[in-house]
Amino acid sequence: MAIERTLSIIKPDAVAKNVIGQIYSRFEGAGLKIVAARMTQLSREQAEGFYAAHKERGFFKDLVDFMVSGPVMIQALEGENAVAAHRDLMGATDPKKAEKGTIRADFADSIDANAVHGSDAVDAAKVEIAYFFPEAK
Ligand code: UDP
């Protein structure tokens, strides 16, 4: 089993619902360690840069509007197969399709306001962690 790191963002909808602690408990319960964390309000520039891969998608502007609509909690998680383990905890992008007991099934309202972000691959995680935690080793 490989020890990996992944980037997690608790999005404005979930921060507004006051469930940061409940989501952190799920990370800890799955053996994922929080190795860096910061609460922040993203600028448009930061949100656009983070989601640059989605620039041409129809939902890009709405996604950026949503991500800057309130504070977010950003963390780097570390553990065995952290990328996949974290994606399993999150559930499917569309909460209606997310398995029972996943973060999105329990806390998300829609495919746009879907509570959490998680890196989808180890390489992407490295880039995303460096984007928000340039000091992380
Ligand atoms: N998104 C959206 N509408 C869509 C698809 C995606 O608003 O039809 C948003 C949603 O917030 C999602 C993010 O864009 O989490 C990134 O999409 P991706 O397909 O990478 O999903 P994820 O990896 O977050 O599950």
Side-chain angles (χ1 to χ4, degrees):
M1 288 271 194
I3 298 293
E4 297 171 353
R5 285 186 174 189
T6 192
L7 186 87
S8 151
I9 303 178
I10 301 177
K11 296 182 178 183
D13 57 327
V15 172
K17 285 182 182 172
N18 203 23
V19 293
I20 292 171
Q22 292 187 59
I23 293 174
Y24 269 30
S25 289
R26 293 178 184 214
F27 297 157
E28 292 169 354
L32 295 170
K33 249 194 222 171
I34 296 152
V35 294
R38 183 165 81 247
M39 181 176 253
T40 190
Q41 166 81 49
L42 295 179
S43 66
R44 286 200 81 79
E45 192 187 16
Q46 277 177 313
E48 285 171 0
F50 182 72
Y51 280 119
H54 293 303
K55 212 160 75 190
E56 306 306 327
R57 311 280 291 273
F59 58 79
F60 182 71
K61 186 182 173 295
D62 287 345
L63 175 59
V64 171
D65 286 346
F66 167 61
M67 290 301 289
V68 303
S69 67
V72 293
M73 188 76 205
I74 309 175
Q75 41 284 321
L77 307 176
E78 184 179 274
E80 279 182 8
N81 293 324
V83 171
H86 180 230
R87 300 277 308 181
D88 287 348
L89 289 178
M90 289 166 52
T93 308
D94 181 351
K96 290 201 284 290
K97 297 185 182 147
E99 262 184 66
K100 238 181 126 193
T102 60
I103 294 169
R104 282 169 166 165
D106 291 346
F107 302 122
D109 296 323
S110 67
I111 192 166
D112 327 76
N114 64 359
V116 281
H117 165 85
S119 310
D120 64 3
V122 171
D123 285 352
K126 286 192 178 133
V127 173
E128 293 180 358
I129 290 170
Y131 190 79
F132 287 119
F133 300 107
E135 72 286 3
K137 292 253 162 54

